[in-house]
Amino acid sequence: MENFIRILVYLHAALGGIALLSGLIALVVKKGSNIHRKVGLVFFYAMSLSAIVAMVVSVSPNHINLFLTGIGIITLYSLMKGKRALLLKTKNTDFRVEKLGIGLLFLAGVGLFTYSYLHGWNVVSLVFSGTSLFFSIRDYFTLSKPEELHKNWLKIHLGNMIGGYISAVTAFVVVNELFPGIWGWFAPSLLGVPVIFYWLKRVS
């Protein structure tokens, strides 16, 4: 079993490396170009699989870590929302997948809050809990405004795919301890959120 887990960890790291490189390329090349679409797909699938593999490890015997399970759900939700935003270009209003994702994100928020409480109000878990609960509730009510979603499909796509890339960078920073203490969990977001606002302003 441990050998299998070790293989999964290596696979998770390899996929994460591919996601870091492809995501960076997708971020800097011309949006909508052929190379952007191709490397964007590579990023989406590599990062999604990396998150899924990490979640499998996080619920495996002797490796249970519900905090990482919650982080995996947050990452997958951001990627899913960013990818499916492309469907809004064709006026798609079938939001069953989005509703499932929102439900899982809400449960992740509750789970991370519980984890924080059980671990002496762990700050990192508490912050991610609040973020998950906020976005799950906001996105649920946003689904009742399909015309607004159709209008803002590009903003939704860019914001969430960059959010997924921030998750990849965060994992790299935390694993390699590039920042002291809990700052490794927050520094990529503090640096990356302005990038999101920059692109949202550009496409406004």
Side-chain angles (χ1 to χ4, degrees), residues 59-77:
V59 296
S60 299
N62 301 319
H63 296 274
I64 293 178
N65 189 326
L66 298 183
F67 169 75
L68 293 181
T69 304
I71 297 300
I73 292 175
I74 295 172
T75 300
L76 287 173
Y77 177 78

PDB file of all heavy atoms in Angstrom, residues 59-77:
ATOM      1  N   VAL A  59      -7.212  10.646   1.622  1.00  0.00           N
ATOM      2  CA  VAL A  59      -8.220   9.807   2.288  1.00  0.00           C
ATOM      3  C   VAL A  59      -7.760   8.358   2.388  1.00  0.00           C
ATOM      4  O   VAL A  59      -8.549   7.473   2.722  1.00  0.00           O
ATOM      5  CB  VAL A  59      -9.583   9.884   1.561  1.00  0.00           C
ATOM      6  CG1 VAL A  59     -10.152  11.286   1.626  1.00  0.00           C
ATOM      7  CG2 VAL A  59      -9.470   9.427   0.102  1.00  0.00           C
ATOM      8  N   SER A  60      -6.478   8.119   2.100  1.00  0.00           N
ATOM      9  CA  SER A  60      -5.932   6.765   2.171  1.00  0.00           C
ATOM     10  C   SER A  60      -5.519   6.427   3.603  1.00  0.00           C
ATOM     11  O   SER A  60      -5.149   7.317   4.378  1.00  0.00           O
ATOM     12  CB  SER A  60      -4.719   6.636   1.237  1.00  0.00           C
ATOM     13  OG  SER A  60      -5.085   6.877  -0.105  1.00  0.00           O
ATOM     14  N   PRO A  61      -5.576   5.156   3.990  1.00  0.00           N
ATOM     15  CA  PRO A  61      -5.169   4.746   5.336  1.00  0.00           C
ATOM     16  C   PRO A  61      -3.759   5.223   5.671  1.00  0.00           C
ATOM     17  O   PRO A  61      -2.852   5.161   4.832  1.00  0.00           O
ATOM     18  CB  PRO A  61      -5.225   3.213   5.256  1.00  0.00           C
ATOM     19  CG  PRO A  61      -6.232   2.933   4.183  1.00  0.00           C
ATOM     20  CD  PRO A  61      -6.049   4.025   3.165  1.00  0.00           C
ATOM     21  N   ASN A  62      -3.596   5.723   6.881  1.00  0.00           N
ATOM     22  CA  ASN A  62      -2.326   6.248   7.390  1.00  0.00           C
ATOM     23  C   ASN A  62      -1.895   7.553   6.737  1.00  0.00           C
ATOM     24  O   ASN A  62      -0.802   8.060   7.011  1.00  0.00           O
ATOM     25  CB  ASN A  62      -1.197   5.219   7.228  1.00  0.00           C
ATOM     26  CG  ASN A  62      -1.484   3.921   7.942  1.00  0.00           C
ATOM     27  OD1 ASN A  62      -2.005   3.923   9.059  1.00  0.00           O
ATOM     28  ND2 ASN A  62      -1.165   2.809   7.307  1.00  0.00           N
ATOM     29  N   HIS A  63      -2.724   8.095   5.854  1.00  0.00           N
ATOM     30  CA  HIS A  63      -2.395   9.358   5.191  1.00  0.00           C
ATOM     31  C   HIS A  63      -3.581  10.323   5.208  1.00  0.00           C
ATOM     32  O   HIS A  63      -3.596  11.288   4.451  1.00  0.00           O
ATOM     33  CB  HIS A  63      -1.967   9.108   3.742  1.00  0.00           C
ATOM     34  CG  HIS A  63      -0.708   8.311   3.606  1.00  0.00           C
ATOM     35  ND1 HIS A  63       0.548   8.887   3.629  1.00  0.00           N
ATOM     36  CD2 HIS A  63      -0.523   6.974   3.483  1.00  0.00           C
ATOM     37  CE1 HIS A  63       1.463   7.938   3.505  1.00  0.00           C
ATOM     38  NE2 HIS A  63       0.847   6.771   3.415  1.00  0.00           N
ATOM     39  N   ILE A  64      -4.556  10.047   6.047  1.00  0.00           N
ATOM     40  CA  ILE A  64      -5.783  10.842   6.056  1.00  0.00           C
ATOM     41  C   ILE A  64      -5.481  12.284   6.447  1.00  0.00           C
ATOM     42  O   ILE A  64      -4.873  12.558   7.473  1.00  0.00           O
ATOM     43  CB  ILE A  64      -6.824  10.230   7.009  1.00  0.00           C
ATOM     44  CG1 ILE A  64      -7.294   8.877   6.454  1.00  0.00           C
ATOM     45  CG2 ILE A  64      -8.012  11.177   7.184  1.00  0.00           C
ATOM     46  CD1 ILE A  64      -8.282   8.155   7.343  1.00  0.00           C
ATOM     47  N   ASN A  65      -5.913  13.210   5.596  1.00  0.00           N
ATOM     48  CA  ASN A  65      -5.720  14.636   5.833  1.00  0.00           C
ATOM     49  C   ASN A  65      -6.910  15.367   5.214  1.00  0.00           C
ATOM     50  O   ASN A  65      -6.904  15.701   4.032  1.00  0.00           O
ATOM     51  CB  ASN A  65      -4.400  15.109   5.213  1.00  0.00           C
ATOM     52  CG  ASN A  65      -4.053  16.532   5.615  1.00  0.00           C
ATOM     53  OD1 ASN A  65      -4.927  17.379   5.789  1.00  0.00           O
ATOM     54  ND2 ASN A  65      -2.769  16.814   5.763  1.00  0.00           N
ATOM     55  N   LEU A  66      -7.929  15.601   6.022  1.00  0.00           N
ATOM     56  CA  LEU A  66      -9.163  16.206   5.521  1.00  0.00           C
ATOM     57  C   LEU A  66      -8.962  17.659   5.110  1.00  0.00           C
ATOM     58  O   LEU A  66      -9.730  18.190   4.305  1.00  0.00           O
ATOM     59  CB  LEU A  66     -10.262  16.084   6.576  1.00  0.00           C
ATOM     60  CG  LEU A  66     -10.642  14.637   6.934  1.00  0.00           C
ATOM     61  CD1 LEU A  66     -11.794  14.623   7.933  1.00  0.00           C
ATOM     62  CD2 LEU A  66     -11.017  13.848   5.680  1.00  0.00           C
ATOM     63  N   PHE A  67      -7.928  18.300   5.630  1.00  0.00           N
ATOM     64  CA  PHE A  67      -7.617  19.661   5.203  1.00  0.00           C
ATOM     65  C   PHE A  67      -7.251  19.662   3.717  1.00  0.00           C
ATOM     66  O   PHE A  67      -7.767  20.468   2.935  1.00  0.00           O
ATOM     67  CB  PHE A  67      -6.460  20.224   6.029  1.00  0.00           C
ATOM     68  CG  PHE A  67      -5.904  21.509   5.486  1.00  0.00           C
ATOM     69  CD1 PHE A  67      -6.589  22.706   5.630  1.00  0.00           C
ATOM     70  CD2 PHE A  67      -4.685  21.522   4.805  1.00  0.00           C
ATOM     71  CE1 PHE A  67      -6.076  23.892   5.112  1.00  0.00           C
ATOM     72  CE2 PHE A  67      -4.165  22.699   4.292  1.00  0.00           C
ATOM     73  CZ  PHE A  67      -4.869  23.889   4.450  1.00  0.00           C
ATOM     74  N   LEU A  68      -6.382  18.731   3.316  1.00  0.00           N
ATOM     75  CA  LEU A  68      -5.978  18.652   1.917  1.00  0.00           C
ATOM     76  C   LEU A  68      -7.136  18.214   1.021  1.00  0.00           C
ATOM     77  O   LEU A  68      -7.206  18.609  -0.147  1.00  0.00           O
ATOM     78  CB  LEU A  68      -4.797  17.700   1.766  1.00  0.00           C
ATOM     79  CG  LEU A  68      -3.484  18.164   2.408  1.00  0.00           C
ATOM     80  CD1 LEU A  68      -2.384  17.145   2.163  1.00  0.00           C
ATOM     81  CD2 LEU A  68      -3.069  19.535   1.875  1.00  0.00           C
ATOM     82  N   THR A  69      -8.047  17.411   1.572  1.00  0.00           N
ATOM     83  CA  THR A  69      -9.237  17.033   0.809  1.00  0.00           C
ATOM     84  C   THR A  69     -10.057  18.272   0.474  1.00  0.00           C
ATOM     85  O   THR A  69     -10.508  18.452  -0.663  1.00  0.00           O
ATOM     86  CB  THR A  69     -10.110  16.046   1.602  1.00  0.00           C
ATOM     87  OG1 THR A  69      -9.331  14.909   1.976  1.00  0.00           O
ATOM     88  CG2 THR A  69     -11.296  15.584   0.775  1.00  0.00           C
ATOM     89  N   GLY A  70     -10.236  19.142   1.469  1.00  0.00           N
ATOM     90  CA  GLY A  70     -10.973  20.376   1.248  1.00  0.00           C
ATOM     91  C   GLY A  70     -10.299  21.285   0.240  1.00  0.00           C
ATOM     92  O   GLY A  70     -10.954  21.864  -0.632  1.00  0.00           O
ATOM     93  N   ILE A  71      -8.976  21.387   0.331  1.00  0.00           N
ATOM     94  CA  ILE A  71      -8.227  22.218  -0.616  1.00  0.00           C
ATOM     95  C   ILE A  71      -8.367  21.658  -2.031  1.00  0.00           C
ATOM     96  O   ILE A  71      -8.485  22.410  -3.011  1.00  0.00           O
ATOM     97  CB  ILE A  71      -6.736  22.278  -0.220  1.00  0.00           C
ATOM     98  CG1 ILE A  71      -6.575  22.958   1.149  1.00  0.00           C
ATOM     99  CG2 ILE A  71      -5.927  23.010  -1.279  1.00  0.00           C
ATOM    100  CD1 ILE A  71      -7.085  24.376   1.195  1.00  0.00           C
ATOM    101  N   GLY A  72      -8.387  20.337  -2.146  1.00  0.00           N
ATOM    102  CA  GLY A  72      -8.556  19.711  -3.452  1.00  0.00           C
ATOM    103  C   GLY A  72      -9.903  20.048  -4.072  1.00  0.00           C
ATOM    104  O   GLY A  72      -9.997  20.317  -5.275  1.00  0.00           O
ATOM    105  N   ILE A  73     -10.941  20.045  -3.250  1.00  0.00           N
ATOM    106  CA  ILE A  73     -12.284  20.384  -3.743  1.00  0.00           C
ATOM    107  C   ILE A  73     -12.328  21.834  -4.211  1.00  0.00           C
ATOM    108  O   ILE A  73     -12.898  22.146  -5.265  1.00  0.00           O
ATOM    109  CB  ILE A  73     -13.329  20.142  -2.639  1.00  0.00           C
ATOM    110  CG1 ILE A  73     -13.461  18.644  -2.360  1.00  0.00           C
ATOM    111  CG2 ILE A  73     -14.693  20.727  -3.052  1.00  0.00           C
ATOM    112  CD1 ILE A  73     -14.372  18.313  -1.197  1.00  0.00           C
ATOM    113  N   ILE A  74     -11.711  22.738  -3.452  1.00  0.00           N
ATOM    114  CA  ILE A  74     -11.665  24.151  -3.846  1.00  0.00           C
ATOM    115  C   ILE A  74     -10.974  24.305  -5.200  1.00  0.00           C
ATOM    116  O   ILE A  74     -11.454  25.025  -6.083  1.00  0.00           O
ATOM    117  CB  ILE A  74     -10.932  24.989  -2.777  1.00  0.00           C
ATOM    118  CG1 ILE A  74     -11.725  24.992  -1.470  1.00  0.00           C
ATOM    119  CG2 ILE A  74     -10.716  26.419  -3.266  1.00  0.00           C
ATOM    120  CD1 ILE A  74     -10.982  25.632  -0.313  1.00  0.00           C
ATOM    121  N   THR A  75      -9.863  23.616  -5.368  1.00  0.00           N
ATOM    122  CA  THR A  75      -9.110  23.697  -6.619  1.00  0.00           C
ATOM    123  C   THR A  75      -9.926  23.169  -7.788  1.00  0.00           C
ATOM    124  O   THR A  75     -10.020  23.802  -8.841  1.00  0.00           O
ATOM    125  CB  THR A  75      -7.804  22.897  -6.502  1.00  0.00           C
ATOM    126  OG1 THR A  75      -7.010  23.428  -5.441  1.00  0.00           O
ATOM    127  CG2 THR A  75      -7.011  22.955  -7.804  1.00  0.00           C
ATOM    128  N   LEU A  76     -10.544  22.005  -7.601  1.00  0.00           N
ATOM    129  CA  LEU A  76     -11.341  21.405  -8.668  1.00  0.00           C
ATOM    130  C   LEU A  76     -12.539  22.273  -9.029  1.00  0.00           C
ATOM    131  O   LEU A  76     -12.917  22.384 -10.205  1.00  0.00           O
ATOM    132  CB  LEU A  76     -11.810  20.016  -8.252  1.00  0.00           C
ATOM    133  CG  LEU A  76     -10.739  18.924  -8.242  1.00  0.00           C
ATOM    134  CD1 LEU A  76     -11.300  17.633  -7.652  1.00  0.00           C
ATOM    135  CD2 LEU A  76     -10.225  18.665  -9.658  1.00  0.00           C
ATOM    136  N   TYR A  77     -13.137  22.906  -8.033  1.00  0.00           N
ATOM    137  CA  TYR A  77     -14.291  23.776  -8.306  1.00  0.00           C
ATOM    138  C   TYR A  77     -13.876  24.959  -9.174  1.00  0.00           C
ATOM    139  O   TYR A  77     -14.570  25.307 -10.144  1.00  0.00           O
ATOM    140  CB  TYR A  77     -14.904  24.281  -7.006  1.00  0.00           C
ATOM    141  CG  TYR A  77     -16.053  25.236  -7.248  1.00  0.00           C
ATOM    142  CD1 TYR A  77     -17.302  24.751  -7.614  1.00  0.00           C
ATOM    143  CD2 TYR A  77     -15.878  26.608  -7.143  1.00  0.00           C
ATOM    144  CE1 TYR A  77     -18.355  25.617  -7.871  1.00  0.00           C
ATOM    145  CE2 TYR A  77     -16.928  27.485  -7.394  1.00  0.00           C
ATOM    146  CZ  TYR A  77     -18.155  26.982  -7.758  1.00  0.00           C
ATOM    147  OH  TYR A  77     -19.191  27.848  -8.021  1.00  0.00           O
TER     148      TYR A  77
END
